Coordinates of all heavy atoms in Angstrom, one line a residue:
P134 N 1.6 -5.3 7.9 CA 1.8 -6.6 7.3 C 1.1 -7.7 8.0 O 0.9 -8.8 7.5 CB 3.3 -6.8 7.5 CG 3.7 -5.8 8.6 CD 2.7 -4.7 8.5
Q135 N 0.7 -7.5 9.3 CA 0.0 -8.5 10.0 C -1.4 -8.7 9.5 O -2.0 -9.8 9.5 CB 0.0 -8.2 11.5 CG 1.4 -8.0 12.1 CD 2.3 -9.1 11.9 OE1 2.0 -10.3 12.1 NE2 3.6 -8.9 11.5
I136 N -2.0 -7.6 9.1 CA -3.4 -7.6 8.6 C -3.4 -8.1 7.2 O -4.4 -8.8 6.7 CB -4.0 -6.2 8.7 CG1 -4.1 -5.8 10.2 CG2 -5.4 -6.2 8.1 CD1 -4.6 -4.4 10.4
N137 N -2.4 -7.8 6.4 CA -2.4 -8.0 4.9 C -1.3 -8.9 4.5 O -0.2 -8.5 4.3 CB -2.3 -6.7 4.2 CG -3.4 -5.7 4.5 OD1 -4.6 -5.9 4.2 ND2 -3.1 -4.6 5.2
P138 N -1.5 -10.2 4.5 CA -0.4 -11.1 4.0 C -0.1 -10.8 2.5 O -0.9 -10.3 1.8 CB -1.1 -12.5 4.2 CG -2.5 -12.3 4.2 CD -2.7 -10.9 4.8
R139 N 1.1 -11.3 2.1 CA 1.6 -10.9 0.8 C 0.7 -11.2 -0.4 O 0.4 -10.4 -1.2 CB 3.0 -11.5 0.6 CG 4.1 -10.8 1.3 CD 5.4 -11.5 1.1 NE 6.5 -10.9 1.9 CZ 7.7 -11.4 2.1 NH1 7.9 -12.6 1.5 NH2 8.6 -10.8 2.8
P140 N 0.1 -12.4 -0.4 CA -0.8 -12.7 -1.6 C -2.0 -11.8 -1.8 O -2.5 -11.7 -2.9 CB -1.2 -14.1 -1.3 CG -0.2 -14.7 -0.4 CD 0.2 -13.6 0.5
S141 N -2.4 -11.1 -0.7 CA -3.6 -10.2 -0.8 C -3.2 -8.8 -1.1 O -4.2 -8.0 -1.4 CB -4.3 -10.2 0.6 OG -3.5 -9.5 1.6
R142 N -2.0 -8.4 -1.2 CA -1.6 -7.0 -1.3 C -1.9 -6.4 -2.6 O -2.2 -5.2 -2.7 CB -0.2 -6.8 -0.8 CG 0.0 -7.1 0.6 CD 1.5 -7.1 1.1 NE 1.6 -7.6 2.4 CZ 2.7 -7.9 3.1 NH1 3.9 -7.8 2.4 NH2 2.7 -8.3 4.3
E143 N -1.8 -7.1 -3.7 CA -2.1 -6.5 -5.0 C -3.5 -6.1 -5.1 O -3.9 -5.2 -5.9 CB -1.7 -7.5 -6.1 CG -1.8 -6.8 -7.5 CD -1.3 -7.7 -8.6 OE1 -1.5 -8.9 -8.5 OE2 -0.7 -7.2 -9.6
A144 N -4.4 -6.8 -4.4 CA -5.9 -6.5 -4.5 C -6.3 -5.3 -3.6 O -7.4 -4.9 -3.7 CB -6.7 -7.7 -4.1
L145 N -5.4 -4.8 -2.8 CA -5.7 -3.6 -2.0 C -5.9 -2.4 -2.8 O -5.3 -2.3 -3.9 CB -4.6 -3.4 -1.0 CG -4.3 -4.5 0.1 CD1 -3.0 -4.2 0.8 CD2 -5.5 -4.5 1.1
P146 N -6.7 -1.4 -2.4 CA -6.8 -0.2 -3.1 C -5.6 0.7 -2.9 O -5.6 1.8 -2.3 CB -8.1 0.5 -2.5 CG -8.1 -0.1 -1.1 CD -7.5 -1.5 -1.2
L147 N -4.5 0.3 -3.4 CA -3.2 1.0 -3.2 C -3.2 2.4 -3.8 O -3.9 2.6 -4.9 CB -2.0 0.2 -3.9 CG -1.8 -1.2 -3.2 CD1 -0.8 -2.0 -4.1 CD2 -1.3 -1.1 -1.8
P148 N -2.6 3.3 -3.2 CA -2.7 4.7 -3.6 C -1.9 5.0 -4.9 O -1.0 4.2 -5.3 CB -2.0 5.5 -2.5 CG -1.1 4.5 -1.9 CD -1.7 3.2 -2.0
E149 N -2.3 6.1 -5.6 CA -1.6 6.6 -6.7 C -0.3 7.3 -6.2 O -0.2 7.6 -5.1 CB -2.5 7.5 -7.6 CG -3.7 6.8 -8.2 CD -3.3 5.7 -9.2 OE1 -2.3 6.0 -9.9 OE2 -3.9 4.7 -9.2
R150 N 0.5 7.6 -7.2 CA 1.8 8.2 -6.8 C 1.7 9.5 -6.0 O 2.4 9.6 -5.0 CB 2.6 8.5 -8.1 CG 4.1 9.0 -7.8 CD 4.8 9.4 -9.1 NE 5.0 8.3 -10.0 CZ 6.1 7.5 -10.0 NH1 7.0 7.7 -9.1 NH2 6.2 6.5 -10.9
A151 N 0.8 10.4 -6.4 CA 0.7 11.7 -5.7 C 0.3 11.4 -4.2 O 0.8 12.1 -3.3 CB -0.2 12.6 -6.4
A152 N -0.7 10.5 -4.1 CA -1.2 10.3 -2.7 C -0.1 9.6 -1.8 O 0.0 10.0 -0.6 CB -2.4 9.4 -2.8
L153 N 0.6 8.7 -2.4 CA 1.7 8.1 -1.6 C 2.8 9.0 -1.3 O 3.3 9.1 -0.2 CB 2.2 6.9 -2.4 CG 3.3 6.1 -1.7 CD1 2.8 5.5 -0.3 CD2 3.8 4.9 -2.5
D154 N 3.2 9.8 -2.3 CA 4.3 10.8 -2.0 C 3.8 11.8 -0.9 O 4.6 12.2 -0.1 CB 4.6 11.6 -3.3 CG 5.4 10.8 -4.3 OD1 5.9 9.7 -3.9 OD2 5.5 11.2 -5.5
D155 N 2.6 12.2 -1.0 CA 2.0 13.1 0.1 C 2.1 12.5 1.4 O 2.5 13.1 2.4 CB 0.6 13.5 -0.3 CG 0.0 14.4 0.8 OD1 0.5 15.6 0.9 OD2 -0.9 14.0 1.5
Y156 N 1.7 11.2 1.5 CA 1.7 10.5 2.8 C 3.1 10.4 3.3 O 3.4 10.7 4.5 CB 1.1 9.1 2.6 CG 1.2 8.2 3.8 CD1 0.6 8.5 5.0 CD2 2.0 7.0 3.8 CE1 0.7 7.7 6.1 CE2 2.1 6.2 4.9 CZ 1.5 6.6 6.1 OH 1.6 5.8 7.2
L157 N 4.1 10.0 2.5 CA 5.5 9.8 3.0 C 6.0 11.2 3.4 O 6.7 11.3 4.4 CB 6.3 9.3 1.9 CG 6.1 7.8 1.5 CD1 6.9 7.4 0.3 CD2 6.3 6.9 2.6
A158 N 5.7 12.3 2.7 CA 6.1 13.6 3.1 C 5.5 14.0 4.4 O 6.2 14.6 5.3 CB 5.8 14.6 2.0

């Protein structure tokens, strides 16, 4: 959160569901 303030977060290359689920696991 220190690097990415809220207004900038939608423009990030956010992961797809499978990649995020894999990361959390």
Side-chain angles (χ1 to χ4, degrees):
Q135 306 304 316
I136 296 173
N137 303 291
R139 284 178 182 168
S141 70
R142 291 171 187 171
E143 188 175 34
L145 294 169
L147 296 170
E149 295 297 320
R150 186 185 295 270
L153 181 59
D154 286 346
D155 178 69
Y156 173 65
L157 292 174

